[in-house]
């Protein structure tokens, strides 16, 4: 079976304590970059082995070398810097993730995270899955106001440069043997929330037009992808220290989102904030949906029969053979991690594998 798999995952894993300690020492100049990399390598190898042992076929590096799921990639694009977030905030925490700002011409003058992928591929017997933020993540949070008007008086030029940069970055990964790529994208699900829509208007954008703009940017970014590369997209409503930003069902964005030229959509359905399965009726024939029915935000382990019931409910809108199962998000989209233990994380991934085997045999 080609990706996505019946039992799949979004990608990020809780950082081991020894890795967090090593990163803190590195920031204090107590260890060298080589010593930090050695610790990262060790922790990635152990995470790979654990993923394989629980029965996952898609294997990630846990995003162990990143601080943020999106910024570590975006800041390596030419013309991008990180700034403080002035927009809607995550609840329950004082610390807030920064947002990207475009201060120069966007480009990809060098491979991004290529060595991270190569190390992953060399150390797994499964399918090496690599995750990067979608092109929309350069725009959503700051919008027009976060993109230099001197560099880009016309946003069409910004989107053309961004898509071209992504095509280069994806080509670098493809040439290194990447056959499973995931675009992480909160834009579509965020735009289902009225407060996010209001923020877009304050930023100088029309939220009603953005879903189509973002889908077009994704399609342009994927235009040259090789035939053997499976590409999925994950969308959620925020994931920072078990908190979230947005709420609202997918109906307002479903048609535009499903026009994205990806093979499958990882969609969170773990809470009432995500709405019902009805928007899945817009899914084009031949595409797949990976149901995020197991929450990564809480340590409570979902009941098997409850998950199976939810899968059956979704199958009223998408044939069962076009459905898969995963957690609704990563367990550590940022280096902070969500509010559960490493053991609880692995039990949830084991539960995903267990239910998938029983449902799809």
């Amino acid at each position: 079976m080609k990706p996505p798999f019946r039992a799949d995952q979004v990608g990020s894993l809780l950082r081991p304590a020894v890795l967090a300690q090593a990163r803190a020492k590195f920031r204090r100049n107590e260890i060298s970059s080589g010593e930090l990399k050695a610790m990262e390598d060790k922790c990635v190898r152990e995470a790979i082995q654990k993923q394989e042992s629980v029965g996952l076929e898609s294997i990630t590096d846990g995003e162990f070398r990143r601080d943020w799921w999106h910024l570590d990639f975006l800041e390596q694009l030419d013309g991008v810097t990180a700034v403080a977030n002035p927009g809607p905030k995550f609840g329950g925490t004082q610390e807030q993730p920064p947002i990207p700002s475009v201060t120069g011409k966007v480009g990809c003058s060098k491979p991004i995270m290529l060595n991270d992928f190569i190390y992953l591929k060399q150390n797994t017997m499964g399918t090496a899955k690599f995750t990067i933020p979608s092109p929309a993540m350069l725009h959503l949070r700051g919008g027009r106001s976060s993109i230099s008007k001197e560099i880009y008086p016309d946003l069409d030029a910004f989107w053309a440069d961004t898509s071209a940069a992504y095509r280069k970055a994806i080509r670098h990964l493809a040439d290194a043997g990447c056959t499973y790529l995931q675009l992480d994208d909160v834009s579509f699900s965020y735009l289902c929330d009225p407060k996010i829509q209001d923020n877009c208007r304050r930023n100088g954008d029309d939220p009603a037009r953005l879903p189509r703009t973002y889908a077009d940017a994704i399609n342009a970014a994927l235009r040259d992808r090789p035939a053997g590369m499976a590409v999925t997209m994950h969308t959620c409503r925020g994931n920072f220290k078990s908190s979230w930003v947005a709420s609202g069902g997918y109906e307002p964005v479903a048609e535009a989102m499903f026009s994205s030229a990806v093979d499958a959509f990882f969609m969170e359905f773990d809470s009432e904030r995500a709405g019902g399965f009805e928007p899945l009726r817009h899914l084009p024939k031949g595409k797949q949906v990976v149901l995020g029915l197991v929450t990564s935000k809480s340590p409570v382990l979902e009941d098997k029969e409850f998950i199976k019931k939810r899968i059956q409910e979704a199958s009223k809108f998408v044939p069962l053979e076009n459905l898969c199962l995963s957690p609704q998000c990563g367990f550590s989209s940022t280096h902070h991690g969500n509010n559960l233990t490493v053991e609880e994380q692995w039990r949830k991934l084991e539960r995903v594998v267990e239910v998938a085997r029983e449902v799809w045999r």
Side-chain angles (χ1 to χ4, degrees):
M1 181 178 177
K2 63 177 292 189
F5 300 101
R6 295 300 186 196
D8 217 309
Q9 61 169 321
V10 171
S12 66
L13 299 169
L14 293 170
R15 311 305 198 255
V18 290
L19 178 56
Q21 292 164 5
R23 294 184 80 83
K25 288 181 179 179
F26 176 73
R27 291 190 179 97
R28 296 193 298 265
N29 295 317
E30 294 175 5
I31 62 173
S32 68
S33 59
E35 290 173 307
L36 174 60
K37 183 180 182 302
M39 179 57 71
E40 290 174 342
D41 289 350
K42 176 179 181 293
C43 291
V44 168
R45 288 195 307 271
E46 291 174 350
I48 289 170
Q49 293 165 3
K50 184 63 176 179
Q51 290 169 79
E52 292 173 347
S53 72
V54 302
L56 290 168
E57 295 178 77
S58 64
I59 308 298
T60 78
D61 64 0
E63 301 179 6
F64 282 179
R65 304 182 199 274
R66 310 183 199 185
D67 280 338
W68 310 95
W69 64 275
H70 54 333
L71 291 173
D72 293 66
F73 179 93
L74 296 175
E75 284 188 292
Q76 294 188 58
L77 291 170
D78 306 337
V80 180
T81 58
V83 299
N85 175 20
K89 303 293 196 295
F90 285 89
T93 175
Q94 290 295 315
E95 184 178 5
Q96 298 291 323
I99 65 172
S101 176
V102 176
T103 55
K105 186 176 173 62
V106 178
C108 179
S109 57
K110 63 183 184 302
I112 300 177
M113 297 182 170
L114 185 62
N115 290 334
D116 297 355
F117 169 74
I118 291 172
Y119 189 84
L120 169 65
K121 183 173 174 58
Q122 289 175 340
N123 284 276
T124 182
M125 297 180 292
T127 298
K129 175 180 182 175
F130 206 67
T131 63
I132 63 174
S134 88
M137 304 324 303
L138 264 185
H139 179 274
L140 174 70
R141 296 306 295 272
R144 167 74 267 194
S145 62
S146 69
I147 299 168
S148 169
K149 291 183 173 64
E150 289 73 29
I151 303 296
Y152 290 113
D154 177 2
L155 278 185
D156 287 345
F158 160 75
W159 286 116
D161 286 351
T162 297
S163 297
Y166 264 77
R167 287 195 293 272
K168 282 188 177 181
I170 292 170
R171 172 50 60 185
H172 291 146
L173 290 167
D175 289 345
C178 180
T179 60
Y180 190 4
L181 181 70
Q182 178 176 292
L183 301 178
D184 287 325
D185 187 306
V186 302
S187 66
F188 293 103
S189 51
Y190 272 37
L191 287 169
C192 299
D193 190 315
K195 73 174 181 289
I196 302 295
Q197 296 169 11
D198 288 342
N199 188 66
C200 290
R201 294 185 188 99
R202 288 192 294 271
N203 288 337
D205 299 293
D206 179 357
R209 300 182 63 178
L210 287 179
R212 171 51 52 199
T213 298
Y214 293 157
D216 289 345
I218 289 169
N219 294 344
L222 295 177
R223 191 171 64 207
D224 299 333
R225 67 157 165 163
M229 175 186 279
V231 180
T232 61
M233 182 170 72
H234 167 254
T235 187
C236 76
R237 292 158 180 78
N239 190 50
F240 179 54
K241 298 199 285 189
S242 288
S243 62
W244 47 273
V245 170
S247 61
Y250 293 100
E251 192 65 44
V253 302
E255 292 188 71
M257 184 176 77
F258 287 148
S259 72
S260 303
V262 299
D263 302 300
F265 300 85
F266 281 72
M267 300 173 66
E268 68 170 0
F269 285 106
D270 66 319
S271 70
E272 293 182 357
R273 291 186 299 105
F277 294 124
E278 290 79 7
L280 296 182
R281 71 187 185 278
H282 297 293
L283 185 75
K285 187 176 181 180
K287 302 270 186 175
Q288 291 177 285
V289 169
V290 186
L291 299 170
L293 299 174
V294 173
T295 187
S296 68
K297 290 179 166 60
S298 162
V300 178
L301 185 63
E302 287 78 359
D303 177 72
K304 283 201 306 179
E305 296 309 313
F306 176 76
I307 299 172
K308 292 177 184 178
K309 179 182 177 182
R310 294 283 283 157
I311 294 171
Q312 289 301 318
E313 291 171 358
S315 70
K316 296 175 183 176
F317 303 96
V318 176
L320 188 62
E321 61 266 25
N322 290 340
L323 295 174
C324 304
L325 178 65
S326 78
Q328 48 82 216
C329 199
F331 291 91
S332 189
S333 296
T334 73
H335 65 89
H336 313 78
N338 284 349
N339 298 328
L340 69 169
T341 67
V342 171
E343 291 74 20
E344 289 162 342
Q345 165 190 267
W346 292 119
R347 281 202 291 271
K348 282 179 175 275
L349 287 169
E350 289 170 347
R351 177 56 46 94
V352 168
V353 173
E354 183 181 20
V355 171
R357 285 175 175 167
E358 294 180 10
V359 170
W360 288 282
R361 307 212 178 272

